[in-house]
Amino acid sequence: MTNVPPTPSGLRGAVDLSSLVDRAQRPTQPGGAPAGAQGAAAAAPAAAQGSVPAGGAGPEGDLTVPSLVIDVTDQTFQDVLQLSSVVPVIVDIWAEWCGPCKQLSPILEQLTAEYDGRVVLAKVDADTNPQLVQAFQAQSIPTVAAVIGGRPLGLFVGALPEAQVRDVFEQVVAAAEQNGVTGRVTVDGAASAEPQGEPEPEPLPPHHQAAYDAIERGDYAAAVQEYKTAIAQDPNDQMAVAGLAQVSLLDRLNGRTADELRSAAAAAPQDVEAQMAVADLDVSGGHVDDAFGRLLDLVPTVFGAEREALRVRLVEYFELIGVDDPRVVAARRRLASALY
C-alpha cells in the first residue's frame, strides 16, 4: 500500500520553466527557435559536448563539474536545464531560517554523494530567487523537485526520513534511465577538495534535534510532541511552528492512501473529518487553493467544535504555506468573514 505522501507517486507533474529560460542566454534550435524546458532535445547535445558553464568535457567524454552540489539562481538555471540532459538534477528549494530545510539538506547531499556522479543536487535559496520559487510552485519549504532532460517534476514538500528520500532518488534515477538520461559527471579534482577550516554547522536546538531523530525513524507522533514542547518553551520559535505544521500533516496522512481519502470525502461531503483529511492530501500535493476552498466552503455550514476544527486546520495551513503568500492572505480574509 502506498503511503501519502511522500514518494513520487504524488508528483505534481511537469511545471513550466519557460519564463526563466527566456531570461537566460541559451542554445538555439535550427531556424533560431530557443531551446528550453520544452526543448530538451536541443539542449542535450550542447550539454553532452561540455558546453555547460558549470564544467567541461573531461577524459573520454565525461562531463566535469566543480561539485556534485551546486548553488543555482534565477539567472543561472539554464545551466541546470543543460546539465539535466546528462544526469538527473535534484532541486532543493530552501531558506536559511527554515528548520526542516536544515534537517533535509544533509540527507540530500549525502545521497547525492552516494550516487557518485549519476545525480547532481542544485540548491535554490528561496529568499533570493523568487522566479524559481514561483516556477516550481514552491508553496512551502523545503520543496524538492527534479529536472530530467530539461523537464522539471515536483517531488515532495517537507523534511522526510532518509529511507523515504532514498526511495525518491531511486525513482528519479529510474525515470531518467527510461528517458535516456544515463550519463555521469565527474568532479574536478581541485574544486572537490574539502575546504580547510570550514566551521561546523550549528547544532539544532535539543527539541528540534529530537523531532528530527523521530522523523528519521518514522515516528511522526513523537516529532509532533517535540515541536509542541519547543513551542511551549518559546512561543516565538517560528522554526518549531513550521516544523509542527509539516510533521502534523505527515502524521495525519501516514499509512493512508489517496484513493481511500478521496472516496471517503466524496461519500460524505458534509463530514468535517473526511473533508479535512482530503484537504491534507491536497496540500501535500501542492493543490493549496483546492484545500482552502474545500474547508472554507464548509465553515458557514457547521458550528461549535466542528467549526473550530476547521479554523484550527486552516490556520495550520497558513503557517505551513507562509502567512505572506497571496493565497493565504485571501483565505484568511474569507475565513474571518465567515467566522465574524
Side-chain angles (χ1 to χ4, degrees), residues 96-312:
E96 182 62 36
W97 49 264
C98 169
C101 298
K102 294 179 180 178
Q103 299 170 6
L104 179 64
S105 289
I107 296 174
L108 296 174
E109 293 172 11
Q110 172 191 328
L111 292 177
T112 298
E114 288 181 11
Y115 273 84
D116 194 25
R118 295 168 58 207
V119 172
V120 169
L121 177 64
K123 298 180 67 66
V124 177
D125 187 336
D127 289 337
T128 56
N129 298 284
Q131 295 170 19
L132 280 172
V133 169
Q134 181 178 8
F136 278 102
Q137 304 166 23
Q139 290 134 358
S140 63
I141 54 174
T143 287
V144 179
V147 186
I148 300 172
R151 292 176 175 82
L153 290 174
L155 295 178
F156 62 87
V157 176
L160 303 181
E162 179 181 331
Q164 293 174 326
V165 180
R166 186 179 297 276
D167 183 52
V168 171
F169 268 64
E170 291 175 357
Q171 295 189 47
V172 167
V173 170
E177 291 176 350
Q178 292 172 5
N179 286 274
V181 179
T182 59
R184 184 185 297 268
V185 297
T186 58
V187 177
D188 178 77
S192 63
E194 289 293 328
Q196 298 298 317
E198 184 175 345
E200 292 292 327
E202 294 184 9
L204 291 172
H207 290 293
H208 289 250
Q209 184 62 56
Y212 171 71
D213 293 341
I215 293 171
E216 275 287 286
R217 61 179 184 267
D219 190 349
Y220 300 134
V224 166
Q225 291 306 314
E226 291 294 343
Y227 280 129
K228 284 183 176 179
T229 301
I231 294 169
Q233 293 179 355
D234 180 6
N236 295 319
D237 187 345
Q238 291 304 309
M239 287 171 55
V241 171
L244 175 61
Q246 291 183 336
V247 78
S248 295
L249 181 68
L250 291 174
D251 187 37
R252 292 192 298 266
L253 291 173
N254 189 34
R256 308 183 71 180
T257 67
D259 287 345
E260 168 196 344
L261 296 173
R262 295 205 182 279
S263 295
Q270 295 302 119
D271 185 300
V272 170
E273 288 297 329
Q275 299 306 314
M276 289 196 300
V278 83
D280 281 345
L281 182 65
D282 286 337
V283 169
S284 74
H287 306 294
V288 173
D289 288 330
D290 291 342
F292 283 171
R294 181 184 297 274
L295 300 192
L296 288 168
D297 287 346
L298 270 182
V299 170
T301 70
V302 297
F303 302 93
E306 288 187 326
R307 177 177 284 195
E308 176 63 9
L310 289 170
R311 185 194 69 80
V312 170

Side-chain angles (χ1 to χ4, degrees), residues 292 296 314 318 326-336:
F292 283 171
L296 288 168
L314 282 163
F318 297 162
R327 295 163 301 181
V328 170
V329 173
R332 191 186 293 275
R333 186 180 303 116
R334 184 178 167 191
L335 177 60

